[in-house]
């Protein structure tokens, strides 16, 4: 869970001061407010979540299609991956993050979710914004998203394995469902 005065302040004001930074190898770096994100085109999907540890669960998710974000920021040709940084640390310390192939960011079921089961996503499930990338396992769906960075390579991030669990738990980067 996020554990900072900054996050507590976001919760206290209903995330009205939340801002999502999107940058890196893009033509148009942007900062989107919570209100701007909620005013964007949205979609809903009912999907099963699979955790690599063996449990699963079904929920309805609502949010902004990632392909819409790509249209706004326009990744450069050399951008091969999207890195999602969390507002929370991982369980072994250090910031939680995960890396996704850019082609999967154009998948029709890849969204930045701000609703779950018809209500705002709870803090437990990743408020104000969490990734739903339905053809990946749960550990790749970063909760409490702070920023998205487009990169050509992820070797210089963390321990270089393409995400927090990939770095810490020996989960493979290429581990779709
Ligand atoms: N920031 C952050 N995001 C995270 C995690 C985490 O520890 N920190 N856990 C991941 C794992 S392993 C799973 S299975 C899902 C769980 O999502 P849920 O809490 O909505 O069930 O969140 C993912 N996103
Ligand atoms: Mo998980």
């Amino acid at each position: 869970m996020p554990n900072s005065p900054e996050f507590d302040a976001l919760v206290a004001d209903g995330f009205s001061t939340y801002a999502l930074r999107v940058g890196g190898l893009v033509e148009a770096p942007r900062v989107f407010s919570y209100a701007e994100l909620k005013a964007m085109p949205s979609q809903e999907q009912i999907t099963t979540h699979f955790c690599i540890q063996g449990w699963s669960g079904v929920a309805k998710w609502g949010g902004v299609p990632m392909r819409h974000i790509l249209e706004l920021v326009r990744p450069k040709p050399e951008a091969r991956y999207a890195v999602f940084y969390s507002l929370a640390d991982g369980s072994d310390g250090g910031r939680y993050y995960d890396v996704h192939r850019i082609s999967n960011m154009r998948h029709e079921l890849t969204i930045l979710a701000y609703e779950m089961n018809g209500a705002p996503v709870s803090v437990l499930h990743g408020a104000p914004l969490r990734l739903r990338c339905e053809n990946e396992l749960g550990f790749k769906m970063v909760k409490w998203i702070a920023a998205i960075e487009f990169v050509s390579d992820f070797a210089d991030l963390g321990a270089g394995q393409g995400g927090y669990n990939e770095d810490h738990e020996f989960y493979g980067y290429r581990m779709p469902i």
Side-chain angles (χ1 to χ4, degrees), residues 141-171:
M141 297 190 227
V142 173
K143 301 195 283 191
W144 316 291
I145 300 170
I148 304 170
E149 181 184 19
F150 290 88
V151 299
S152 61
D153 190 12
F154 52 79
D156 59 348
L157 296 174
Q161 299 301 307
Y164 189 87
N165 281 298
E166 292 88 335
D167 288 347
H168 290 257
E169 306 278 0
F170 308 104
Y171 294 173

Side-chain angles (χ1 to χ4, degrees), residues 8-161:
D8 292 345
L10 286 178
V11 173
D13 76 5
F15 299 109
S16 64
T17 55
Y18 170 75
L20 171 70
R21 290 169 285 131
V22 187
L25 297 174
V26 296
E27 303 287 350
R30 296 282 298 271
V31 179
F32 301 114
S33 71
Y34 192 43
E36 284 174 323
L37 290 163
K38 286 192 290 187
M40 288 178 184
S42 65
Q43 71 181 49
E44 285 187 332
Q45 57 211 35
I46 298 173
T47 53
T48 306
H49 176 107
F50 295 94
C51 171
I52 199 168
Q53 292 179 304
W55 58 269
S56 62
V58 177
K60 180 169 78 172
W61 299 98
V64 187
M66 226 2 239
R67 58 188 184 279
H68 180 67
I69 302 290
L70 295 190
E71 280 171 19
L72 294 176
V73 302
R74 303 194 305 278
K76 295 178 178 177
E78 58 267 36
R80 297 174 62 212
Y81 303 100
V83 188
F84 287 76
Y85 298 98
S86 182
L87 293 163
D89 287 344
S91 51
D92 295 328
R95 195 46 58 97
Y96 197 97
Y97 77 101
D98 204 87
V99 177
H100 289 263
R101 283 172 291 133
I102 199 166
S103 56
N104 216 14
M105 298 294 94
R106 300 192 177 93
H107 192 285
E108 62 180 356
L109 294 180
T110 301
I111 68 173
L112 300 177
Y114 51 78
E115 286 178 354
M116 177 183 170
N117 295 336
V121 175
S122 65
V123 169
L124 184 64
H125 288 290
L129 206 61
R130 64 91 52 82
L131 179 62
R132 292 301 308 172
C133 185
E134 306 292 355
N135 58 352
E136 296 281 9
L137 288 161
F139 71 88
K140 297 195 71 76
M141 297 190 227
V142 173
K143 301 195 283 191
W144 316 291
I145 300 170
I148 304 170
E149 181 184 19
F150 290 88
V151 299
S152 61
D153 190 12
F154 52 79
D156 59 348
L157 296 174
Q161 299 301 307

